[in-house]
Amino acid sequence: MKSTDRFALFVFVRARARALALAALLLTLATSGAQAGTAAIASAHPQATRAGEGVLAQGGNAFDAAVAVAAALAVVEPYASGLGGGAFFLLHRAEDGRRVMLDAREVAPVAATPGMYLDAAGEQKGRLSLDGGMAAGIPGVPAALAVLADRYGRLPLSRSMAAAIALAEDGFDVDPRYVVAARFREEALRADQRAAAIFLREGRVPEVGARISQPALARTLRALAEHGRAGFYEGDVARRLVAGVRAAGGIWEERDLAGYQVIEREPARFAYRAATVTTASLPSSGGLVMGQALRILETFELAALPATERDHLVVEAWRRAYQDRARYLGDPGFVCVPRALGSPEYARERAGSIDSQRATSSQALEGLHPALREGGNTTHFSIADAQGNLVAATLSVNLPFGAAVVAGDTGVLLNNEMNDFAIGKDQPNAYRLTGGAANAIAPGKRPLSSMAPTFVDDARGTLVLGTPGGSRILSMIMLGILEYVDRPGVDAERVVSLPRFHHQYLPDRLEYEPGQFSDAWVQALRDKGHTVQEGRRRWGNMQAVFVDAKTGQASAHGDPRGRAGVLF
């Protein structure tokens, strides 16, 4: 067994496990036609990777390992994910080739209303959608762990979650990423007595190496592990969750929890040149935004262009795709999204409005393309097991430490994903994304998301990737796909580490990571009319696994930014 802990590279690469029952393993391989290979886990924390490693060593598959990793991350990365948050899990089952997305996105409580965060003048009332009980949607991660174990895994929840329970009881050591996140949300954490007692020390951000124990969370984890979905969404834990949220000013009811369901959705699929991309579908904006942008870019010979000419076209494709995100996308159970958005014809039409020498201002773009008419942080991990099962999972509580409120004595830190809805007209969310009626608040509705766990298949093999990063998630993944597909010989290590830039339609500016691009690159894009701004820090924490099509060997690759405390 080989473990690597370099920068943010918390990966596990394991040869076919000799410690497993060999006869059972050979039978599985023979009946499924799977190719013997290696297993690999890339996650954002070494304790989570070790939890997944332990489950594979006990005979679990990639889906059991996903339970272990997700549950461990809920403990050791409270600023990025947790039982109080949501997730998308993209699965590939080797025995029948089935690919499915588990939609465990949060939903709005039944008492939610479109204007719940606005005053009489239509302006946001303080920070109600960001801090406190009103900011929290009904979480989906606990239900997803139960679905993974019951429908796809080999092991019971109690075994897959054992490492997470131990971490909550025994504690984990604060690392630099925790310190950065806690400093960002220090004031909000201090405002909640329970959150401050767990995540701060005497009201201040703890130092690196401090021990964080969560015995109350351990009890809730154990209830979920022993009783499955009912251990969280029904009975005593559910009652205490609701009481804690309402004490913090929220509007949850017990029927909100009882009615929550994970939805199995068909993933979004599209081709980019010789590769096939499988990614998250609505209510993730990933499939439609990335599909449209990459189809636009496919009309250009990007590989033959100088870097600044290529990157100009990339920005213009993003500008158009993010515009349509704001105009049309939302929970498919509530809105009818124009079918044209996913068509090659529409992409070619959008590409035709791009000037290869000059930026299109986002303000002018609306006039160039009228609206279509239609009838009627997050964290990420990637896993491959030796039998060929794959998992790409992106989990979030939205801002670091979510709503910065712990629900009563459950130990569950609440999300603030309600901020991902369109709060009001021209009211951007915390990531400066705007939206319209398609993403307006409604009871039982799931807010639009940027989380986009992704598989990229080509003749070389399968790249499994994803990243945290709010609105930048999609641009980061697209840059990775462009690098991997358009530049022969590029490997997954390059994909997770390459320099990043971003544009999202509004605000109308091109941001780039500090110290990663030359002055000549910046000036060339300014000369084309782009407003170019250097970011304050590097962003993302991409985790990728690559499975070689010929050998079945899997390798894991983690973003070097992670150790530096990067959050967005």
Side-chain angles (χ1 to χ4, degrees), residues 295-537:
R295 287 188 187 99
I296 288 172
L297 292 171
E298 199 169 21
T299 67
F300 301 95
E301 294 298 328
L302 297 183
L305 296 175
T308 53
E309 302 295 321
R310 172 183 180 268
D311 294 346
H312 162 71
L313 294 174
V314 170
V315 169
E316 291 302 299
W318 288 347
R319 188 194 306 275
R320 286 151 177 80
Y322 273 95
Q323 180 197 29
D324 284 343
R325 182 193 195 278
R327 292 198 290 184
Y328 302 120
L329 302 191
D331 184 338
F334 286 75
V335 298
C336 187
V337 175
R339 294 181 181 179
L341 291 177
S343 72
E345 294 78 15
Y346 181 69
R348 286 194 292 269
E349 180 185 345
R350 293 292 256 168
S353 68
I354 295 176
D355 184 337
S356 62
Q357 299 303 314
R358 192 71 186 168
T360 306
S361 76
S362 293
Q363 184 177 9
L365 191 60
E366 191 73 31
L368 290 175
H369 192 278
L372 290 171
R373 294 182 178 87
E374 180 75 7
N377 180 19
T378 304
T379 192
H380 180 89
F381 62 84
S382 298
I383 300 176
D385 67 20
Q387 290 74 53
N389 300 300
L390 306 174
V391 178
T394 308
L395 308 90
S396 183
V397 290
N398 201 21
L399 288 186
F401 291 94
V405 169
V406 172
D409 62 356
T410 66
V412 175
L413 185 66
L414 301 174
N415 68 82
N416 60 358
E417 297 287 3
M418 292 295 287
N419 183 255
D420 273 356
F421 282 112
I423 302 301
K425 181 177 173 58
D426 300 324
Q427 296 279 346
N429 69 9
Y431 295 100
R432 302 189 301 275
L433 286 168
T434 58
N439 193 36
I441 299 171
K445 189 176 182 180
R446 300 176 187 229
L448 191 62
S449 174
S450 294
M451 296 188 296
T454 299
F455 300 152
V456 182
D457 297 288
D458 67 2
R460 290 170 287 176
T462 299
L463 179 66
V464 183
L465 77 162
T467 182
S471 59
R472 298 186 180 114
I473 289 174
L474 303 185
S475 61
M476 284 188 276
I477 294 175
M478 281 188 277
L479 286 175
I481 293 172
L482 290 168
E483 190 78 4
Y484 176 75
V485 176
D486 288 345
R487 300 184 189 279
V490 165
D491 60 13
E493 187 74 19
R494 169 65 178 169
V495 167
V496 301
S497 59
L498 71 136
R500 294 164 183 159
F501 57 95
H502 173 73
H503 195 291
Q504 62 182 45
Y505 172 60
L506 292 176
D508 188 356
R509 64 170 177 255
L510 192 172
E511 298 176 285
Y512 64 95
E513 289 186 309
Q516 302 302 305
F517 295 88
S518 68
D519 292 342
W521 182 90
V522 172
Q523 189 57 51
L525 287 160
R526 284 181 175 152
D527 289 345
K528 289 182 178 295
H530 294 283
T531 298
V532 185
Q533 177 177 308
E534 185 176 45
R536 290 177 296 173
R537 61 175 71 87

Side-chain angles (χ1 to χ4, degrees), residues 66-83:
V67 172
V69 173
L73 288 172
V75 177
V76 300
E77 277 197 322
Y79 48 85
S81 67
L83 293 191

Side-chain angles (χ1 to χ4, degrees), residues 34-61:
Q35 184 174 13
T38 58
I41 299 174
S43 88
H45 199 284
Q47 296 279 22
T49 294
R50 282 195 281 271
E53 170 189 45
V55 163
L56 290 179
Q58 294 177 57
N61 60 19

Side-chain angles (χ1 to χ4, degrees), residues 65-325:
V67 172
V69 173
L73 288 172
V75 177
V76 300
E77 277 197 322
Y79 48 85
S81 67
L83 293 191
F88 296 135
F89 292 83
L90 186 63
L91 313 181
H92 170 83
R93 188 166 59 191
E95 66 181 27
D96 58 5
R98 185 186 186 213
R99 288 187 169 180
V100 64
M101 183 185 94
L102 300 187
D103 174 0
R105 183 68 160 147
E106 300 88 345
V107 303
V110 294
T113 60
M116 61 190 288
Y117 300 116
L118 303 178
D119 59 22
E123 299 296 324
Q124 289 198 48
K125 294 185 291 188
R127 294 177 58 86
L128 288 179
S129 71
L130 294 172
D131 303 333
M134 279 282 284
I138 308 304
V141 165
L145 300 186
V147 168
L148 280 166
D150 293 344
R151 300 181 193 173
Y152 298 94
R154 295 174 180 166
L155 304 180
L157 270 177
S158 57
R159 288 178 65 183
S160 296
M161 292 181 60
I165 294 168
L167 282 169
E169 290 178 332
D170 300 338
F172 67 94
D173 294 336
V174 166
D175 62 14
R177 292 184 68 231
Y178 183 105
V179 170
V180 171
R183 189 172 294 129
F184 181 78
R185 296 285 278 158
E186 183 176 1
E187 183 178 351
L189 288 169
R190 194 183 298 123
D192 181 72
Q193 183 178 0
R194 293 182 188 274
I198 297 169
F199 302 115
L200 301 178
R201 290 293 178 268
E202 297 181 354
R204 310 298 296 180
V205 175
E207 296 181 353
V208 171
R211 196 78 168 170
I212 303 293
S213 298
Q214 301 171 78
L217 179 61
R219 290 192 292 272
T220 300
L221 286 164
R222 186 172 286 108
L224 176 64
E226 293 177 356
H227 304 291
R229 183 191 181 284
F232 187 90
Y233 293 91
E234 301 173 19
D236 182 59
V237 170
R239 286 190 291 272
R240 290 188 287 115
L241 282 166
V242 170
V245 169
R246 296 186 77 87
I251 56 174
W252 286 17
E253 301 176 22
E254 287 184 39
R255 58 177 171 160
D256 288 313
L257 289 165
Y260 184 87
Q261 295 294 328
V262 171
I263 300 175
E264 292 196 350
R265 300 189 187 274
E266 190 70 17
R269 293 181 177 87
F270 58 88
Y272 175 66
R273 305 196 194 279
T276 300
V277 178
T278 305
T279 190
S281 53
L282 290 170
S284 168
S285 59
L288 284 171
V289 171
M290 294 198 296
Q292 182 185 149
L294 291 170
R295 287 188 187 99
I296 288 172
L297 292 171
E298 199 169 21
T299 67
F300 301 95
E301 294 298 328
L302 297 183
L305 296 175
T308 53
E309 302 295 321
R310 172 183 180 268
D311 294 346
H312 162 71
L313 294 174
V314 170
V315 169
E316 291 302 299
W318 288 347
R319 188 194 306 275
R320 286 151 177 80
Y322 273 95
Q323 180 197 29
D324 284 343
R325 182 193 195 278

